[in-house]
Amino acid sequence: KHLYRPLLTRLRYVVIDEAHMYNGVFGAHVSMILARLYRLATLQDSQICFLACSATLAHPDTHFRLLCCIHQTRSINVVKEDGSPRAAKHFWVWNPPLLDIN
């Protein structure tokens, strides 16, 4: 019991990558583990923050609340804009001329 105290008191972030994969029975199991981790960390006065990443979720706020057991009264931030650097995109449309009218 006391072996995990140093880890739990210093725990600040839990990062969940590809959050869309955690659904169904597997997602419910992960959700229970995260809820237990959150409960143990708060008992040690740790300010834990969950970070989840997914590019394919239609409703990320709802999925994240279910996955991390976050109550509706607590606020969450959803980042929808991609801020990563990239080159400019150029789209070209070519309409070739008709060779045979008949």
Side-chain angles (χ1 to χ4, degrees):
K1 181 177 179 180
H2 300 290
L3 296 174
Y4 295 107
R5 183 170 288 164
L7 171 70
L8 293 173
T9 55
R10 286 185 256 135
L11 183 63
R12 296 291 175 258
Y13 302 102
V14 175
V15 180
I16 304 163
D17 194 16
E18 301 294 337
H20 61 275
M21 297 298 293
Y22 302 104
N23 56 13
V25 176
F26 181 63
H29 182 70
V30 171
S31 177
M32 286 186 259
I33 292 172
L34 292 174
R36 185 174 295 147
L37 176 66
Y38 179 76
R39 183 180 58 82
L40 291 173
T42 54
L43 287 175
Q44 300 299 323
D45 296 325
S46 178
Q47 298 295 324
I48 191 170
C49 177
F50 290 101
L51 303 169
C53 305
S54 178
T56 59
L57 282 174
H59 304 287
D61 49 347
T62 305
H63 185 80
F64 186 67
R65 285 187 189 282
L66 290 173
L67 182 62
C68 297
C69 298
I70 297 175
H71 196 268
Q72 292 291 335
T73 58
R74 296 193 59 200
S75 65
I76 62 171
N77 294 324
V78 177
V79 178
K80 294 183 180 181
E81 294 83 26
D82 183 8
S84 60
R86 62 173 172 80
K89 291 183 181 180
H90 301 283
F91 295 98
W92 299 90
V93 178
W94 178 54
N95 191 7
L98 293 175
L99 297 178
D100 187 11
I101 298 177
N102 294 329

